[in-house]
Amino acid sequence: MPKFATIFQVFGRKTVVWVTHYLVGMKRMDHIVFMDDGEIIIDGNHDELLMSSCYRRLYE
């Protein structure tokens, strides 16, 4: 798995669409869209999404 510091350094302030099942590095994202079975369940930043049990369970 690539080092996140390198990814953030290379892309800088550019918009990046990151599709993943692994929530490593989500704290650094400005906006997260959490989907389940092809539907958007919740969206927001990492701290906001931690209030959702489905996101928190997967993150932990």
Side-chain angles (χ1 to χ4, degrees):
M1 181 167 273
K3 301 237 180 219
F4 288 104
T6 303
I7 291 168
F8 288 113
Q9 181 181 10
V10 170
F11 288 111
R13 300 286 306 158
K14 295 183 174 105
T15 299
V16 175
V17 176
W18 188 288
V19 179
T20 184
H21 289 102
Y22 304 102
L23 301 182
V24 174
M26 292 296 109
K27 291 179 183 180
R28 303 234 4 224
M29 304 300 169
D30 295 326
H31 191 84
I32 302 165
V33 176
F34 190 84
M35 299 179 73
D36 187 28
D37 199 26
E39 294 186 32
I40 296 173
I41 304 299
I42 51 174
D43 69 306
N45 66 35
H46 175 73
D47 291 331
E48 293 168 342
L49 269 59
L50 280 176
M51 292 182 215
S52 163
S53 61
C54 59
Y55 179 86
R56 185 176 56 252
R57 197 170 37 250
L58 188 59
Y59 182 76
E60 292 172 349

